[in-house]
Amino acid sequence: DQQVKQNSPSLSVQEGRISILNCDYTNSMFDYFLWYKKYPAEGPTFLISISSIKDKNEDGRFTVFLNKSAKHLSLHIVPSQPGDSAVYFCAARATTSGTYKYIFGTGTRLKVLA
Amino acid sequence: SQTIHQWPATLVQPVGSPLSLECTVEGTSNPNLYWYRQAAGRGLQLLFYSIGIDQISSEVPQNLSASRPQDRQFILSSKKLLLSDSGFYLCAWSGTGTGIYEQYFGPGTRLTVT
């Protein structure tokens, strides 16, 4: 049972344009959502996050939008750069008795074309 | 600042051999610790998480086990490796205090079972 889904396995975007990566979830108890960027043979690096009580968080070129009613979040990268080419994972945090569990999607491979 | 270490970086083991992967965290105390596996072309699967010494929760039944003998040390083990244990293993930590949300990953171990 995949609680966090990234339905697009890959995405190609021209340099300078907007990249939009999508993520859907099923558990309404998730309290925090995060995006990670991963290069091959490396650990994921944290990019940006959003609390479940907010609908938008912005950090430089990266903006995350959360639509709780649709159980959907998206990551916007503007403008896209070739160095942004990587696999992007969305993750959701569940808190149970003070313990945090992070559930990850399957990732979207972004390719930014120069 | 906090640092997370994993070793070895790569490992090739024959089927039926034992496994021990180690993860240590510096610069924080009483972290939540996690083991994930990324199989080829797949997302991040949570294997184990720990909220304290000798407190381990398993997410999926499998051929692996985890132990936390010290506050900042997390070990992933197997008595007899299977071919299906091949993958990229990631250790991660998260804080437990209020306002701490992100999860941080180590560099990973590439395990190939032959």
Side-chain angles (χ1 to χ4, degrees):
Chain A
D1 178 28
Q2 191 74 24
Q3 295 187 65
V4 178
K5 298 179 185 178
Q6 294 177 258
N7 292 318
S8 298
S10 64
L11 174 69
S12 291
V13 172
Q14 284 295 131
E15 181 179 7
R17 307 294 289 268
I18 183 172
S19 295
I20 300 177
L21 298 101
N22 294 302
C23 181
D24 297 294
Y25 61 95
T26 58
N27 188 342
S28 58
M29 298 305 292
F30 289 140
D31 61 357
Y32 218 77
F33 301 91
L34 308 93
W35 283 95
Y36 286 83
K37 178 180 180 180
K38 186 182 181 301
Y39 294 115
E42 293 183 11
T45 54
F46 170 72
L47 265 181
I48 191 170
S49 60
I50 188 167
S51 165
S52 60
I53 62 172
K54 306 222 170 182
D55 55 20
K56 178 182 175 182
N57 187 28
E58 192 171 353
D59 183 2
R61 296 186 298 114
F62 302 92
T63 303
V64 56
F65 296 92
L66 176 63
N67 182 334
K68 284 189 70 176
S69 61
K71 293 191 176 68
H72 177 84
L73 67 154
S74 60
L75 174 68
H76 293 210
I77 307 173
V78 182
S80 301
Q81 300 172 353
D84 295 329
S85 297
V87 176
Y88 289 78
F89 289 96
C90 71
R93 190 184 81 167
T95 303
T96 306
S97 302
T99 301
Y100 303 142
K101 281 174 52 176
Y102 297 79
I103 310 300
F104 282 76
T106 51
T108 296
R109 182 176 302 278
L110 173 66
K111 190 170 184 179
V112 180
L113 306 169
Chain B
S1 64
Q2 299 86 7
T3 311
I4 180 167
H5 303 279
Q6 276 186 255
W7 64 91
T10 60
L11 191 58
V12 180
Q13 292 284 97
V15 168
S17 64
L19 173 74
S20 181
L21 302 181
E22 191 162 341
C23 170
T24 58
V25 181
E26 295 177 358
T28 187
S29 58
N30 195 32
N32 289 333
L33 295 174
Y34 308 82
W35 278 111
Y36 290 86
R37 176 172 59 205
Q38 184 184 21
R42 306 286 295 276
L44 298 176
Q45 181 186 32
L46 177 62
L47 302 176
F48 300 94
Y49 64 95
S50 170
I51 62 171
I53 294 174
D54 295 329
Q55 299 179 70
I56 313 291
S57 297
S58 173
E59 280 298 290
V60 292
Q62 60 205 318
N63 185 42
L64 302 168
S65 62
S67 62
R68 185 171 176 175
Q70 300 179 45
D71 180 46
R72 290 171 289 177
Q73 183 186 29
F74 206 21
I75 298 171
L76 184 69
S77 304
S78 174
K79 292 182 180 177
K80 288 186 178 182
L81 283 168
L82 306 172
L83 284 174
S84 57
D85 292 324
S86 293
F88 192 55
Y89 288 81
L90 289 155
C91 181
W93 74 274
S94 70
T96 55
T98 303
I100 301 174
Y101 305 110
E102 293 83 30
Q103 188 182 45
Y104 297 94
F105 286 83
T109 295
R110 169 74 58 194
L111 172 66
T112 303
V113 182
T114 60

